[in-house]
């Protein structure tokens, strides 16, 4: 089966081509530069940029894969959650293509795509579900922080999520407070790697809370107060790096401790992690240490597949179609507030 998948839920325009579940091409055009001067994603600009970029990105993916659109057997796109205007561009393009080719269309949940991305591996890349183990999965993106129990492929249950800011949002908002360009997560990570993470003791919100929920807005506020009371910290390179290390340590400790606790509670011995924040070097290292201590298997999404991409959308589309999953109507609407718990 030759499948084309589109991802346009936020600020990355991406098109992937898969044959028999193996990745032939994954073209991604990021809008980071466009939104940088506004300090965050501007939804209207994001939609227009997707409109501008989608066809060139699709041509690039088809060219890299060495196929033409009339050879396709199925078309997939992210249907939600995400920015409404951005989702519309990818969904309608995919539905139009499927309609014109008289081929099936399937709408994919963006977080389900992240959820299985740690299983993408091998050469050529495909879902290595022969190695699948029931697991507890941490999804940490710009807008979401979630713990999910995956009992079997396509069988998952949401355990908890953030009650306010997501971990990625916290990284980005703190980065903004200290004057780093958007999205600040990667730069904060770089500065933190040269800082002393024991020099601050920022709050670890909901660390001891028995639920599987998260909250990061209190941490952001305490960093804001710290900077208000110690403005010189921004002028001193080493103190700034220590501040970044202290913030990152607080976020990472909460994410790791709650993930490990959830796995123990559910009796699972495998942990996976995905989403943009899974690029964070501190999080990757700390999950590695904690899983080794507990004797757990750890599967982290490849850094190139942590941020938004159509490859992960195509992988879930292939998995669903190969397992006799339902296709989606070419008239189906976007679902901007789609909950993972509802699929
Ligand atoms: O999954 P993603 O590409 O987009 C959403 O679906 O939201 O995640 C983007 C988020 C941003 O908040 C960005 O700052 C964060 O991932 N991020 C990082 C790192 N790389 C990306 N946060 C911390 N450290 C990083 N190295
Ligand atoms: Zn995402």
């Amino acid at each position: 089966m030759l499948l084309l998948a589109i991802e346009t839920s936020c600020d990355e325009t991406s098109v992937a081509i898969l044959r028999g579940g193996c990745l032939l091409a994954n073209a991604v055009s990021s809008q980071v530069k466009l939104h940088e001067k506004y300090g965050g994603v501007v939804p209207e600009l994001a939609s227009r940029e997707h409109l501008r970029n989608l066809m060139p990105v699709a041509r690039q993916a088809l060219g890299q894969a060495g196929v033409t659109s009339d050879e396709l057997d199925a078309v997939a796109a992210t249907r939600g959650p995400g920015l409404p205007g951005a989702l519309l561009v990818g969904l309608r393009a995919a539905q139009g293509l499927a309609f014109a080719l008289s081929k099936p269309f399937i709408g994919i949940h963006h977080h389900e795509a992240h959820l299985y991305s740690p299983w993408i591996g091998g050469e050529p890349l495909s879902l290595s579900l022969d190695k699948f183990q029931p697991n507890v999965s941490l999804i940490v993106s710009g807008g979401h922080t979630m713990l999910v129990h995956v009992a079997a492929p396509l069988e998952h249950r949401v355990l908890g999520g953030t009650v306010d800011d997501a971990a990625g949002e916290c990284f980005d908002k703190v980065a903004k407070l200290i004057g780093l360009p958007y999205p600040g997560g990667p730069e904060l990570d770089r500065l933190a790697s040269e800082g002393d993470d024991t020099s601050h003791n920022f709050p670890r919100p909901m660390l001891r809370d028995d639920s599987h929920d998260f909250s990061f807005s209190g941490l952001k506020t305490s960093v804001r107060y710290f900077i208000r009371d110690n403005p010189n910290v921004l002028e001193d390179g080493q103190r700034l790096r220590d501040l970044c290390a202290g913030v990152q340590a607080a976020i990472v400790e909460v994410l790791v401790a709650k993930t490990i606790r959830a796995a123990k509670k559910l009796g699972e011995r495998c942990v996976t992690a995905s989403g943009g924040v899974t690029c964070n070097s501190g999080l990757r290292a700390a999950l590695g240490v904690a899983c080794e201590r507990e004797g757990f298997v750890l599967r982290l999404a490849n850094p190139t597949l942590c941020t938004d991409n159509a490859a992960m959308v195509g992988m879930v589309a292939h998995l669903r179609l190969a397992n006799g999953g339902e296709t989606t109507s070419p008239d189906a609407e976007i679902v901007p507030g789609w909950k993972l718990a509802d699929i």
Side-chain angles (χ1 to χ4, degrees):
M1 178 173 63
L2 188 68
L3 182 136
L4 179 145
I6 299 179
E7 156 63 38
T8 61
S9 67
C10 189
D11 59 348
E12 261 100 28
T13 315
S14 180
V15 176
I17 312 285
L18 286 80
R19 191 192 295 278
C22 293
L23 189 68
L24 300 182
N26 180 38
V28 184
S29 166
S30 172
Q31 302 181 4
V32 160
K33 282 274 160 283
L34 173 72
H35 301 288
E36 193 181 309
K37 56 179 171 293
Y38 304 100
V41 178
V42 182
E44 178 65 21
L45 293 183
S47 318
R48 287 166 188 259
E49 196 66 2
H50 284 308
L51 274 177
R52 224 184 327 266
N53 290 337
L54 186 54
M55 288 309 144
V57 171
R59 268 188 218 105
Q60 186 191 338
L62 287 163
Q64 267 171 18
V67 299
T68 54
S69 53
D70 54 354
E71 295 174 59
L72 296 170
D73 299 302
V75 186
T78 303
R79 191 178 171 199
L83 301 171
L87 286 168
L88 267 176
V89 176
L91 188 92
R92 280 294 183 247
Q95 287 170 320
L97 181 58
F99 179 78
L101 295 170
S102 299
K103 297 293 179 190
F105 166 73
I106 182 162
I108 297 297
H109 192 290
H110 182 75
H111 296 147
E112 190 178 41
H114 276 302
L115 188 63
Y116 291 96
S117 62
W119 300 96
I120 302 175
E123 181 58 50
L125 290 173
S126 66
L127 275 186
S128 13
L129 291 176
D130 48 322
K131 302 192 182 86
F132 181 86
Q133 277 179 269
N135 61 80
V136 163
S137 190
L138 174 70
I139 305 178
V140 267
S141 68
H144 293 83
T145 301
M146 254 188 273
L147 277 172
V148 184
H149 182 211
V150 191
L154 298 178
E155 254 187 66
H156 42 254
R157 183 168 65 90
V158 176
L159 300 169
T162 183
V163 297
D164 45 50
D165 287 355
E169 232 170 325
C170 186
F171 269 113
D172 293 341
K173 287 179 177 173
V174 168
K176 197 171 181 177
L177 286 175
I178 60 180
L180 302 177
Y182 175 85
E187 182 62 6
L188 196 145
D189 182 2
R190 202 186 60 73
L191 292 172
S193 68
E194 295 162 3
D196 173 7
D197 64 5
T198 60
S199 56
H200 293 273
N201 192 17
F202 287 116
R204 270 70 170 153
M206 296 181 87
L207 179 64
R208 315 231 167 271
D209 179 282
D210 215 26
S211 77
H212 298 299
D213 290 331
F214 299 89
S215 159
F216 290 104
S217 85
L219 169 58
K220 172 200 65 195
T221 306
S222 80
V223 177
R224 174 177 291 133
Y225 288 150
F226 177 82
I227 294 171
R228 182 197 63 190
D229 299 338
N230 301 274
N232 296 341
V233 77
L234 303 182
E235 315 301 328
D236 178 333
Q238 192 52 44
R239 287 183 70 202
L240 185 63
R241 290 190 282 273
D242 292 346
L243 175 67
C244 292
V247 174
Q248 181 167 300
I251 298 174
V252 166
E253 187 179 338
V254 175
L255 293 174
V256 173
K258 299 203 80 155
T259 305
I260 297 291
R261 193 189 305 151
K264 282 184 172 171
K265 222 171 177 173
L266 287 147
E268 299 300 8
R269 308 196 57 76
C270 177
V271 161
T272 73
S274 62
V277 179
T278 306
C279 288
N280 184 267
S281 57
L283 177 62
R284 294 180 87 84
L287 276 172
V289 169
C291 286
E292 191 165 345
R293 185 186 64 225
E294 301 295 338
F296 291 174
V297 170
L298 173 65
R299 288 194 75 105
L300 299 170
N302 186 299
T304 57
L305 298 174
C306 283
T307 47
D308 291 344
N309 64 87
M312 64 182 187
V313 176
M315 294 285 169
V316 170
H318 176 84
L319 180 66
R320 286 197 163 271
L321 293 173
N323 282 280
E326 275 179 38
T327 58
T328 312
S329 159
D331 303 325
E333 302 281 343
I334 54 164
V335 192
W338 205 1
K339 300 246 179 300
L340 186 59
D342 293 340
I343 57 167

